[in-house]
Amino acid sequence: MISAISYRFGWLAFVLPALLCSCLNIIKPGREYPSYSTPAAPDYAQPTNWAALPTRVDAADVVPTNSGLLDQQATASVDVFFVHPTTYLGRAGWNANLTDQKVNHFTDAMTIRKQASVFNNAGRIYAPRYRQATLFSFFDEEKSPNGNEALQLAYSDVKAAFQYYLAHYNQGRPFIVAGHSQGTFHATRLLRELVDQDPKLRRQLVAAYLIGFHVQPNEYQVLKPCQDSTQTNCYVAWNSVEWGFDYLPFQGGVAVNPLTWKTDTLAAPASLNLGGTPHAFNRLDTAVVDAKVHNGLVWLHTPKPLGYPRFLLPGRPELRHSFHIADYALYYMNIRQNAMARVRAYERHN
């Protein structure tokens, strides 16, 4: 079945880069957006409103081609609640409509397949579809209320999905919370509002992977950044940037080195990188990049293998040194191994 999924999504590896470029060309700041309107809310009792569920075949079951990795959700003792990044790039409205099949396929092929799948050895993956805010919401220079309302609406869905997951799927199991970019923006708030001050949920939290957004050092009252590779009830965060450059929006946030799982500023050599997976998701590249924590960022030297794109956004030249799109891809195997290590540590102590 997994091979069938690989076939279904394989062609998208070639057409989606072009699709992404064409979509980005129409979201340059300064273009007028339509007035704010609200798409219909999702009912999370309906499986169609989940991009991934462990009880069915979907994109979260896939592993990189010829990697020898296995999807082990069927026997996992832990759950993963994954919040996908922005995949809605258009101008039809401020929030995605969940009946938009193009957006849904883009979500599955680009993020569930290439990001959420990193956890399919450690946990059963639950990934909600939600009325995500369009990408321009994060670059709205006029600070219109529509951009903020779009993000608020998106968060309300993520919160509702997590509450539905807890009430109907979780059954008291330990869980991992993970996200990327907009997904991390919402997951960070979710942990603050629902987990940080709840002793029961805090105990159930194996770890959180808050990747690709700015997590403040004082974000939580109780939850703290992980300080080693097996600590639990904690969180990790990072933003990947070319060595020697700063990306102002993410400076000063929490950064955990994804090769050592520490917050110190010692450089970790590429030899510790167990394997990245490129845009085509067709191989593992060992020792692909190094990592060093610097001022809330993770610095890395440009990978030699092709397939690890920078964040090239029209009208935003300051992003050209960011490897935001490849935050998961560059450290795919290290994340995969670390999630499993934290699950085992959690099980030993609970």
Side-chain angles (χ1 to χ4, degrees):
M1 289 184 179
I2 292 177
S3 60
I5 293 177
S6 299
Y7 176 80
R8 177 185 173 191
F9 290 107
W11 66 274
L12 287 165
F14 298 97
V15 301
L16 282 177
L19 175 62
L20 179 60
C21 291
S22 65
C23 288
L24 290 179
N25 283 332
I26 64 171
I27 61 165
K28 293 180 182 179
R31 295 289 187 94
E32 183 178 353
Y33 265 60
S35 59
Y36 188 80
S37 61
T38 304
D43 175 6
Y44 288 109
Q46 302 301 316
T48 55
N49 288 321
W50 294 85
L53 288 171
T55 53
R56 69 170 190 227
V57 176
D58 53 46
D61 305 341
V62 183
V63 295
T65 308
N66 301 318
S67 65
L69 302 176
L70 297 173
D71 169 27
Q72 298 175 307
Q73 293 182 73
T75 58
S77 59
V78 166
D79 295 339
V80 178
F81 186 83
F82 180 83
V83 190
H84 70 76
T86 307
T87 56
Y88 174 51
L89 311 172
R91 297 181 62 246
W94 284 89
N95 292 84
N97 191 316
L98 298 191
T99 64
D100 188 330
Q101 293 306 310
K102 289 183 179 179
V103 172
N104 292 342
H105 284 308
F106 194 11
T107 300
D108 296 347
M110 295 299 290
T111 69
I112 304 303
R113 177 173 174 249
K114 298 181 182 181
Q115 295 180 341
S117 68
V118 77
F119 299 106
N120 67 22
N121 66 324
R124 308 191 307 178
I125 299 171
Y126 296 85
R129 302 196 189 281
Y130 63 100
R131 291 172 293 178
Q132 59 180 292
T134 185
L135 181 61
F136 181 59
S137 297
F138 292 95
F139 299 97
D140 185 1
E141 293 175 337
E142 296 179 0
K143 306 299 181 185
S144 69
N146 287 341
N148 183 62
E149 289 176 17
L151 289 165
Q152 293 289 339
L153 182 70
Y155 173 72
S156 72
D157 284 356
V158 172
K159 180 178 180 180
F162 186 67
Q163 290 174 321
Y164 187 90
Y165 155 76
L166 290 175
H168 298 276
Y169 291 136
N170 175 255
Q171 298 180 341
R173 292 159 56 94
F175 58 84
I176 291 169
V177 172
H180 184 247
S181 197
Q182 180 173 169
T184 288
F185 177 78
H186 300 311
T188 299
R189 180 178 174 184
L190 188 76
L191 289 172
R192 185 175 66 249
E193 293 187 358
L194 298 185
V195 178
D196 186 52
Q197 297 299 299
D198 187 320
K200 179 179 181 295
L201 290 181
R202 265 201 331 268
R203 285 193 298 270
Q204 286 179 254
L205 178 68
V206 176
Y209 291 79
L210 304 177
I211 301 170
F213 212 84
H214 188 265
V215 182
Q216 298 280 1
N218 60 349
E219 190 74 49
Y220 304 111
Q221 294 185 36
V222 181
L223 294 174
K224 303 297 181 184
C226 301
Q227 298 297 323
D228 60 44
S229 62
T230 58
Q231 185 181 351
T232 59
N233 310 114
C234 58
Y235 67 93
V236 301
W238 71 81
N239 291 279
S240 307
V241 177
E242 183 180 359
W243 197 285
F245 291 90
D246 288 327
Y247 178 43
L248 292 175
F250 291 155
Q251 282 184 328
V254 174
V256 174
N257 190 312
L259 297 183
T260 64
W261 303 105
K262 296 180 180 180
T263 57
D264 61 40
T265 58
L266 295 176
S271 59
L272 296 179
N273 192 310
L274 302 176
T277 182
H279 181 76
F281 207 61
N282 60 354
R283 67 178 190 268
L284 291 175
D285 296 318
T286 57
V288 63
V289 288
D290 50 1
K292 172 183 168 58
V293 171
H294 170 80
N295 194 21
L297 308 170
V298 165
W299 275 0
L300 58 98
H301 288 94
T302 302
K304 293 181 180 179
L306 298 178
Y308 299 91
R310 298 170 187 264
F311 193 18
L312 300 178
L313 187 65
R316 294 287 170 176
E318 72 275 15
L319 300 179
R320 66 185 181 276
H321 300 293
S322 170
F323 284 91
H324 179 72
I325 296 173
D327 281 326
Y328 270 80
L330 290 163
Y331 304 104
Y332 188 91
M333 284 301 298
N334 290 77
I335 302 170
R336 188 176 180 88
Q337 183 191 67
N338 182 252
M340 193 72 248
R342 293 190 197 277
V343 167
R344 289 171 178 160
Y346 182 94
E347 292 175 339
R348 284 196 302 269
H349 295 101
N350 289 277

